[in-house]
């Protein structure tokens, strides 16, 4: 089958097809003399098909498919990506204080959250500079307006000067409430604060497992081996 000019240069065992056998049939004439062979199968000239499909330039590499990058796993006692927060207490960018934002990820090495503010700015800030917007909280132990106890609402902000949540009740009323008057739902990630005897835990983060209605304390999982019983006023979302 001579005639492919470097293409399929002679397949041993079919030599009788040149000038005898089939009356001078020449595949090279039929294909118009494909000089240089068939691009994309450049390894077929005089040596078969080396490496199976190894001659496919820029094509699929069956042995070198890149492994998809595994998504980062946020520790259970850190604010999870997608959580809505409010920025507070920033000195470098005070114009962002009280601005809504969303958590993108937690940088374990820097100990900071990567967040995106509602104006589009992205920045890495400490946990102390944000508070979560928690849905499904319950008003509790309110003596000044007891008729509001057990009402549901959402945390929509935090007044760092007064140390109070801004809570929007389902009735449409907004209230400024101390952490001790706001019951957070299970799975909320919180920071311990105001502890006296166990002051070494202040500033540490954990996840609320449940509220013990008899003692009025949260069971908070701080890490794999430590669970604390904390009053509502001793945690901040």
């Amino acid at each position: 089958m001579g005639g492919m000019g470097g293409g399929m240069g002679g397949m041993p065992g079919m030599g009788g097809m040149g000038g005898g056998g089939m009356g001078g049939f020449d595949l090279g004439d039929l294909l118009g003399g494909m000089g240089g062979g068939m691009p994309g199968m450049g390894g077929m000239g005089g040596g078969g098909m080396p490496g199976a499909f190894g001659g496919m330039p820029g094509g699929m590499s069956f042995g070198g498919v890149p492994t998809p990058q595994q998504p980062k796993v946020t520790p259970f006692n850190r604010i999870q990506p997608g959580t809505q927060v409010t920025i507070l207490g920033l000195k470098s960018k005070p114009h962002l204080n009280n601005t809504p934002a969303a958590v993108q990820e937690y940088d374990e090495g820097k100990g900071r959250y990567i967040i995106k503010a509602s104006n589009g700015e992205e920045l890495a800030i400490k946990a102390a500079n944000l508070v979560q917007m928690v849905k499904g909280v319950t008003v509790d132990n309110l003596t000044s307006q007891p008729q509001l106890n057990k009402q549901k609402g959402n945390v929509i902000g935090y007044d760092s000067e007064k140390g109070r949540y801004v809570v929007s009740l389902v009735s449409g009323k907004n209230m400024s409430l101390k952490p001790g008057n706001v019951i957070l739902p299970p799975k909320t990630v919180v920071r311990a604060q105001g502890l006296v005897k166990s002051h070494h835990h202040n500033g540490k983060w954990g996840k609320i497992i449940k509220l013990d209605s008899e003692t009025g304390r949260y069971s908070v999982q701080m890490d794999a081996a430590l669970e604390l019983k904390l009053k509502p006023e001793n945690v901040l979302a």
Side-chain angles (χ1 to χ4, degrees):
M1 295 174 65
M4 290 184 65
M8 300 177 66
M11 297 177 65
M14 296 181 67
M17 295 177 65
M22 295 182 68
F25 175 81
D26 192 328
L27 184 59
D29 292 338
L30 179 64
L31 297 178
M34 296 175 66
M38 298 173 67
M41 298 179 67
M44 294 180 66
M49 299 173 68
F53 294 93
M56 299 173 68
M60 297 176 62
S61 177
F62 292 93
V65 178
T67 303
Q69 186 176 0
Q70 296 297 319
K72 293 182 179 180
V73 177
T74 303
F76 78 95
N77 56 352
R78 293 290 183 268
I79 301 173
Q80 298 298 306
T83 301
Q84 300 297 307
V85 297
T86 297
I87 302 170
L88 48 89
L90 284 183
K91 295 181 179 180
S92 59
K93 295 186 176 183
H95 64 282
L96 290 178
N97 288 331
N98 299 313
T99 299
V103 172
Q104 305 296 300
E105 64 177 284
Y106 178 70
D107 189 324
E108 191 79 37
K110 296 180 179 179
R112 291 173 178 254
Y113 288 95
I114 311 301
I115 66 170
K116 186 172 184 178
S118 58
N119 66 354
E121 288 190 57
E122 290 191 4
L123 61 159
I125 66 174
K126 298 177 181 179
N129 293 118
L130 55 82
V131 67
Q132 299 166 77
M133 298 184 187
V134 185
K135 296 181 179 180
V137 303
T138 306
V139 179
D140 193 43
N141 293 323
L142 197 62
T143 56
S144 59
Q145 301 182 68
Q147 71 276 12
L148 296 179
N149 288 330
K150 306 306 178 184
Q151 283 204 26
K152 296 288 185 179
N154 301 321
V155 173
I156 60 173
Y158 184 74
D159 188 330
S160 55
E161 293 185 0
K162 296 180 180 180
R164 291 171 176 252
Y165 292 117
V166 179
V167 179
S168 176
L169 301 179
V170 292
S171 62
K173 183 177 182 178
N174 287 352
M175 298 193 68
S176 176
L177 298 173
K178 296 178 181 178
N181 296 123
V182 178
I183 301 301
L184 303 169
K187 298 184 179 181
T188 303
V189 175
V190 294
R191 182 173 75 246
Q193 64 172 12
L195 297 175
V196 179
K197 291 183 179 180
S198 302
H199 59 85
H200 56 285
H201 290 305
N202 287 331
K204 294 182 179 179
W205 288 80
K207 178 184 282 189
I208 294 176
I209 304 301
K210 63 179 181 178
L211 175 72
D212 187 325
S213 58
E214 293 185 2
T215 63
R217 293 174 180 254
Y218 296 116
S219 294
V220 182
Q221 193 73 42
M222 305 301 288
D223 57 38
L226 179 63
E227 182 178 304
L228 298 180
K229 305 295 184 182
L230 301 176
K231 296 178 181 178
E233 58 261 36
N234 291 128
V235 302
L236 187 67

